[in-house]
Amino acid sequence: MAHFLFGRALQSLLLLWLVSMIGFAILHLTPGGPLSQFALVPGMTQARLAEIAHDMGLDRSLPVQYWEWASRLLTGDWGRSYRDQAPVLSVIGSHLFATVELMATAVLIAVLLGAWIGVMGAVRRYSVADMLATVGAMVALSIPTFWFGLVVIYVFSVRLQWLPAGSMYTVGDESLLDFLHHLIAPALVLALVEVAVWSRYMRASMIDVIGQDYIRTARAKGLPERRVLIRHALRNALLPMITLAGLELPTLLGGALVTETVFTWPGMGRLFLDSLGYRDYPVVMGILMVSALLVLLGNLLADILCAVADPRIRLD
């Protein structure tokens, strides 16, 4: 285990370094730049712009800027926001918990609902319910997240007035019940695609497990069908799903970006778009690094959980 963790740590550091270099280069080579916001100020002169660029370190070459940024990053100094000069870590930290809450709720919905639909589809293959689940999964995978979010807002917020149209709390009411009321719509929208993916993979995995010899042996011994499915088939069918959960993290983060924008959810996705519009590069790079770190940790956790669930897997 120690050898495996050491190897994964080295791989993760290399990947984070590559992500940081590529992201830094793309941001700083795009037209405009952080100085574009100051150029619109009435009375701004080129001399003053040059002074601002020097103060922000933007008059240095790109490799020098990257080296200075990476050196500060390693010491825990992620820079300051161009917008309000607040530390980047505090800016991201104030939005990170909202994104984690939204993603965790969406994953919980996707795992429970997707696994149930997949198991029912495998047990009752080619039934009407199985065919409807297949069609529903294809439709869910074809619907853009932003469009589905707008439909949910129109139907359940505007027409029926069952759910809030956005935000995380009602002004003046920050109770747990109010938070859960606001969480329902964005979590369901974010979980839509994941439910479709999980149900399809779970169905295929369950069909493969049901056809194994040990399942037929368990049935031949007279075990109840419910016990065969839950205790023997489901446990082994879930192993590929653990790996899938790690692989779906980037998709989930991308979906969270769109969902948070549609529902004005104060998470990292909305902060990322706002920072891009403001050319707030330190915050954008900070969000990029945090997202990459979350994806790497998610995949590492999935590997460890697979080894815990299946003793045949050795992490050497």
Short mmCIF file of all heavy atoms in Angstrom, two decimals, residues 135-158:
data_model
loop_
_atom_site.label_atom_id
_atom_site.label_comp_id
_atom_site.label_asym_id
_atom_site.label_seq_id
_atom_site.Cartn_x
_atom_site.Cartn_y
_atom_site.Cartn_z
N VAL A 135 -34.88 4.22 -22.72
CA VAL A 135 -35.24 5.43 -23.47
C VAL A 135 -35.01 6.67 -22.60
O VAL A 135 -34.48 7.69 -23.08
CB VAL A 135 -36.71 5.35 -23.91
CG1 VAL A 135 -37.16 6.67 -24.54
CG2 VAL A 135 -36.90 4.21 -24.92
N GLY A 136 -35.39 6.60 -21.33
CA GLY A 136 -35.19 7.74 -20.44
C GLY A 136 -33.72 8.09 -20.27
O GLY A 136 -33.36 9.28 -20.22
N ALA A 137 -32.86 7.08 -20.20
CA ALA A 137 -31.43 7.34 -20.08
C ALA A 137 -30.88 8.02 -21.33
O ALA A 137 -30.07 8.95 -21.24
CB ALA A 137 -30.68 6.02 -19.82
N MET A 138 -31.32 7.58 -22.49
CA MET A 138 -30.86 8.19 -23.73
C MET A 138 -31.32 9.65 -23.83
O MET A 138 -30.57 10.53 -24.28
CB MET A 138 -31.38 7.40 -24.93
CG MET A 138 -30.85 5.98 -25.04
SD MET A 138 -29.04 5.90 -25.14
CE MET A 138 -28.63 5.37 -23.46
N VAL A 139 -32.56 9.90 -23.41
CA VAL A 139 -33.08 11.27 -23.43
C VAL A 139 -32.30 12.14 -22.45
O VAL A 139 -31.93 13.28 -22.76
CB VAL A 139 -34.58 11.28 -23.10
CG1 VAL A 139 -35.08 12.71 -22.91
CG2 VAL A 139 -35.38 10.57 -24.19
N ALA A 140 -32.04 11.61 -21.25
CA ALA A 140 -31.31 12.38 -20.23
C ALA A 140 -29.90 12.72 -20.70
O ALA A 140 -29.40 13.82 -20.44
CB ALA A 140 -31.26 11.59 -18.92
N LEU A 141 -29.26 11.79 -21.39
CA LEU A 141 -27.91 12.04 -21.89
C LEU A 141 -27.90 13.03 -23.04
O LEU A 141 -26.86 13.62 -23.35
CB LEU A 141 -27.27 10.72 -22.34
CG LEU A 141 -26.92 9.73 -21.23
CD1 LEU A 141 -26.49 8.39 -21.82
CD2 LEU A 141 -25.81 10.29 -20.35
N SER A 142 -29.06 13.22 -23.68
CA SER A 142 -29.13 14.12 -24.83
C SER A 142 -29.54 15.54 -24.44
O SER A 142 -29.37 16.47 -25.24
CB SER A 142 -30.14 13.58 -25.85
OG SER A 142 -29.81 12.26 -26.25
N ILE A 143 -30.09 15.71 -23.26
CA ILE A 143 -30.59 17.03 -22.84
C ILE A 143 -29.44 17.87 -22.28
O ILE A 143 -28.75 17.43 -21.35
CB ILE A 143 -31.69 16.87 -21.77
CG1 ILE A 143 -32.91 16.19 -22.36
CG2 ILE A 143 -32.10 18.24 -21.22
CD1 ILE A 143 -34.02 15.95 -21.35
N PRO A 144 -29.21 19.07 -22.79
CA PRO A 144 -28.20 19.95 -22.20
C PRO A 144 -28.59 20.33 -20.77
O PRO A 144 -29.77 20.57 -20.49
CB PRO A 144 -28.21 21.17 -23.12
CG PRO A 144 -28.86 20.72 -24.39
CD PRO A 144 -29.83 19.65 -23.99
N THR A 145 -27.61 20.39 -19.90
CA THR A 145 -27.87 20.67 -18.49
C THR A 145 -28.53 22.04 -18.30
O THR A 145 -29.47 22.19 -17.52
CB THR A 145 -26.57 20.59 -17.68
OG1 THR A 145 -25.98 19.31 -17.85
CG2 THR A 145 -26.83 20.82 -16.21
N PHE A 146 -28.05 23.05 -19.03
CA PHE A 146 -28.59 24.39 -18.84
C PHE A 146 -30.06 24.46 -19.28
O PHE A 146 -30.87 25.13 -18.64
CB PHE A 146 -27.76 25.42 -19.61
CG PHE A 146 -27.97 25.42 -21.10
CD1 PHE A 146 -28.93 26.22 -21.68
CD2 PHE A 146 -27.20 24.60 -21.91
CE1 PHE A 146 -29.13 26.23 -23.05
CE2 PHE A 146 -27.39 24.60 -23.28
CZ PHE A 146 -28.36 25.41 -23.86
N TRP A 147 -30.40 23.72 -20.35
CA TRP A 147 -31.78 23.73 -20.84
C TRP A 147 -32.70 23.05 -19.83
O TRP A 147 -33.79 23.55 -19.53
CB TRP A 147 -31.86 23.03 -22.19
CG TRP A 147 -33.22 23.06 -22.81
CD1 TRP A 147 -33.77 24.05 -23.57
CD2 TRP A 147 -34.24 22.04 -22.68
NE1 TRP A 147 -35.05 23.72 -23.94
CE2 TRP A 147 -35.37 22.49 -23.42
CE3 TRP A 147 -34.31 20.81 -22.05
CZ2 TRP A 147 -36.54 21.75 -23.50
CZ3 TRP A 147 -35.47 20.07 -22.13
CH2 TRP A 147 -36.57 20.53 -22.86
N PHE A 148 -32.27 21.92 -19.30
CA PHE A 148 -33.07 21.21 -18.31
C PHE A 148 -33.25 22.05 -17.06
O PHE A 148 -34.33 22.08 -16.45
CB PHE A 148 -32.42 19.87 -17.97
CG PHE A 148 -33.23 19.03 -17.02
CD1 PHE A 148 -34.49 18.58 -17.36
CD2 PHE A 148 -32.72 18.69 -15.77
CE1 PHE A 148 -35.24 17.81 -16.48
CE2 PHE A 148 -33.45 17.92 -14.89
CZ PHE A 148 -34.72 17.48 -15.24
N GLY A 149 -32.19 22.77 -16.67
CA GLY A 149 -32.30 23.65 -15.51
C GLY A 149 -33.32 24.75 -15.72
O GLY A 149 -34.11 25.07 -14.83
N LEU A 150 -33.32 25.35 -16.91
CA LEU A 150 -34.30 26.39 -17.22
C LEU A 150 -35.73 25.85 -17.23
O LEU A 150 -36.66 26.52 -16.79
CB LEU A 150 -33.96 27.04 -18.57
CG LEU A 150 -32.65 27.84 -18.62
CD1 LEU A 150 -32.38 28.31 -20.04
CD2 LEU A 150 -32.70 29.02 -17.66
N VAL A 151 -35.90 24.62 -17.74
CA VAL A 151 -37.22 24.00 -17.74
C VAL A 151 -37.70 23.76 -16.32
O VAL A 151 -38.87 24.01 -15.99
CB VAL A 151 -37.19 22.67 -18.54
CG1 VAL A 151 -38.50 21.90 -18.34
CG2 VAL A 151 -36.97 22.95 -20.02
N VAL A 152 -36.81 23.27 -15.46
CA VAL A 152 -37.16 23.04 -14.05
C VAL A 152 -37.57 24.35 -13.38
O VAL A 152 -38.56 24.40 -12.63
CB VAL A 152 -35.99 22.37 -13.30
CG1 VAL A 152 -36.23 22.37 -11.80
CG2 VAL A 152 -35.79 20.95 -13.79
N ILE A 153 -36.84 25.42 -13.65
CA ILE A 153 -37.18 26.71 -13.06
C ILE A 153 -38.54 27.18 -13.55
O ILE A 153 -39.38 27.65 -12.76
CB ILE A 153 -36.09 27.76 -13.40
CG1 ILE A 153 -34.79 27.43 -12.66
CG2 ILE A 153 -36.56 29.16 -13.04
CD1 ILE A 153 -33.64 28.33 -13.03
N TYR A 154 -38.79 27.04 -14.84
CA TYR A 154 -40.07 27.50 -15.40
C TYR A 154 -41.24 26.70 -14.84
O TYR A 154 -42.27 27.29 -14.46
CB TYR A 154 -40.04 27.39 -16.92
CG TYR A 154 -41.35 27.76 -17.58
CD1 TYR A 154 -41.74 29.10 -17.66
CD2 TYR A 154 -42.21 26.78 -18.08
CE1 TYR A 154 -42.95 29.45 -18.25
CE2 TYR A 154 -43.42 27.13 -18.66
CZ TYR A 154 -43.79 28.46 -18.74
OH TYR A 154 -44.99 28.79 -19.30
N VAL A 155 -41.09 25.37 -14.80
CA VAL A 155 -42.21 24.52 -14.39
C VAL A 155 -42.44 24.60 -12.88
O VAL A 155 -43.54 24.86 -12.40
CB VAL A 155 -41.98 23.07 -14.83
CG1 VAL A 155 -43.07 22.16 -14.26
CG2 VAL A 155 -41.94 22.98 -16.34
N PHE A 156 -41.36 24.35 -12.10
CA PHE A 156 -41.53 24.18 -10.65
C PHE A 156 -41.40 25.48 -9.86
O PHE A 156 -41.83 25.54 -8.69
CB PHE A 156 -40.53 23.16 -10.12
CG PHE A 156 -40.77 21.77 -10.64
CD1 PHE A 156 -40.03 21.27 -11.69
CD2 PHE A 156 -41.74 20.96 -10.08
CE1 PHE A 156 -40.25 19.98 -12.18
CE2 PHE A 156 -41.97 19.68 -10.55
CZ PHE A 156 -41.23 19.20 -11.61
N SER A 157 -40.81 26.52 -10.47
CA SER A 157 -40.65 27.78 -9.76
C SER A 157 -41.64 28.84 -10.25
O SER A 157 -42.30 29.50 -9.44
CB SER A 157 -39.22 28.31 -9.91
OG SER A 157 -38.29 27.38 -9.38
N VAL A 158 -41.74 28.98 -11.58
CA VAL A 158 -42.60 30.02 -12.13
C VAL A 158 -44.05 29.58 -12.16
O VAL A 158 -44.95 30.30 -11.69
CB VAL A 158 -42.11 30.42 -13.53
CG1 VAL A 158 -43.03 31.47 -14.14
CG2 VAL A 158 -40.68 30.94 -13.48
#
